[in-house]
Amino acid sequence: MKKLLIASVMMAASHATYAAENKTTAKTDEFAKATQLYEAQNYSAAYQEMQRLAALGKAQAIHNLGYMTQIGQGTAKDEKKAVQYYQAASNKGFGKSSFTLAQSYHKGELGLAKNPQKYKEFLDRAAKQGSEEAIIEYADLLFKQGKPEYDRIAIQILLPLLRKDYPPAQQLKAVYDLGIGVKNKNPIMQQQAIESIKDLAKRGYAPSLMLLGNMLANGYVIDQNLEEAKNIFSRLAQLNHPNAKESLAQVEAAIAAKKAAAPEQPKK
């Protein structure tokens, strides 16, 4: 069976999203009308309402105009114009827009050429503007430097999210702790990290389930258990989680190969 290495906890995804209103706000919230129109798929009216709010200087509305323009909801699809909206919202301190621009420069999307310097610039900006996704990705980049001074900075910027019990931050820290525990041959640190990953998996956090499944399949740090790995991957495959179906197929093939190689039991 092909070994599934733990290289990073970051999941590939589309990072440009519509910024919905905070569900805890009252129905009188200034974005309530626009959100209702959007959720009702009345995109033309929602776009017009967002334009009204954007004219008042609302960064969230400007971001949403960018998203709707990017995919062509309520207006003509125009990636160049979408970038202009994201840039304007980023300049107003809206972290989602800064993170969207960071990903676009990282992957060469929205008509922008790949630019590592711009990627890091907007990722840093997004993190400072409070984007949780950006904080996680920025900390992950710091951990990958493999230097204690960068590790300390990464842990420091993760602390607010760890105190909030934010699953992506908890998993990133657990993976870091596991790596350090293995490197330093510290079984206590390893076990604490494994327990954190298992706890997140029990809470239904899909990336932790995927990580635990990989560990069980590979016998990495914990004992190999192909059947348990199969159960995890089956559950994730039903949810169409990235790579779950491929991992499930590999585990099933490994189980079949193991059964075929097992010696026949003598008949009684």
Side-chain angles (χ1 to χ4, degrees):
M1 176 182 174
K2 183 180 178 181
K3 191 169 184 179
L4 303 173
L5 298 178
I6 303 170
S8 169
V9 299
M10 304 309 298
M11 299 301 297
S14 173
H15 296 281
T17 57
Y18 179 90
E21 67 170 329
N22 187 331
K23 294 301 182 182
T24 62
T25 56
K27 289 298 181 182
T28 56
D29 182 272
E30 58 192 352
F31 282 89
K33 181 180 178 181
T35 299
Q36 289 169 359
L37 289 168
Y38 187 86
E39 290 177 347
Q41 298 184 14
N42 188 346
Y43 298 129
S44 179
Y47 188 86
Q48 291 176 16
E49 179 63 12
M50 284 298 172
Q51 284 182 312
R52 183 185 72 79
L53 292 168
L56 298 175
K58 306 297 180 182
Q60 178 179 324
I62 298 171
H63 172 88
N64 286 342
L65 286 176
Y67 177 74
M68 297 178 76
T69 301
Q70 176 186 338
I71 62 176
Q73 289 180 327
T75 187
K77 181 177 179 178
D78 188 332
E79 291 186 342
K80 184 177 180 179
K81 189 175 180 180
V83 168
Q84 293 172 350
Y85 279 127
Y86 289 139
Q87 183 69 65
S90 172
N91 291 342
K92 284 183 170 291
F94 200 67
K96 276 185 177 291
S97 289
S98 298
F99 188 62
T100 297
L101 291 169
Q103 295 303 312
S104 298
Y105 280 116
H106 185 45
K107 299 176 181 178
E109 297 174 341
L110 294 180
L112 299 173
K114 289 185 179 181
N115 188 322
Q117 184 176 344
K118 286 283 188 181
Y119 161 59
K120 292 180 181 178
E121 175 188 326
F122 277 101
L123 187 64
D124 178 60
R125 181 191 293 190
K128 290 176 179 175
Q129 291 171 339
S131 166
E132 294 174 340
E133 291 175 299
I135 291 170
I136 297 298
E137 190 161 328
Y138 187 49
D140 189 46
L141 286 178
L142 290 170
F143 282 139
K144 286 176 180 176
Q145 300 303 309
K147 297 179 180 179
E149 59 269 32
Y150 288 111
D151 291 350
R152 287 192 290 271
I153 296 171
I155 292 169
Q156 190 63 36
I157 67 173
L158 281 176
L159 277 178
L161 297 182
L162 291 170
R163 293 189 183 112
K164 288 170 56 179
D165 291 331
Y166 185 59
Q170 291 174 311
Q171 171 154 305
L172 180 56
K173 179 62 163 53
V175 170
Y176 165 75
D177 288 343
L178 182 59
I180 294 297
V182 171
K183 180 181 178 181
N184 296 336
K185 298 180 180 179
N186 185 332
I188 295 176
M189 194 173 189
Q190 291 178 43
Q191 190 57 39
Q192 288 175 339
I194 292 168
E195 290 305 316
S196 294
I197 293 167
K198 286 182 176 180
D199 180 64
L200 287 166
K202 286 179 183 177
R203 287 156 56 186
Y205 183 55
S208 291
L209 279 166
M210 190 71 184
L211 179 56
L212 181 59
N214 289 343
M215 293 166 66
L216 289 165
N218 295 328
Y220 176 74
V221 184
I222 57 180
D223 292 336
Q224 187 182 60
N225 189 325
L226 293 176
E227 288 296 338
E228 191 172 346
K230 177 184 174 181
N231 291 337
I232 290 174
F233 291 139
S234 295
R235 177 179 171 186
L236 291 171
Q238 291 176 351
L239 298 173
N240 291 318
H241 188 76
N243 302 318
K245 292 179 180 178
E246 294 83 350
S247 297
L248 176 60
Q250 289 181 26
V251 168
E252 289 177 333
I255 292 172
K258 193 172 182 179
K259 288 180 178 178
E264 288 188 20
Q265 296 296 324
K267 295 180 180 180
K268 293 183 180 181

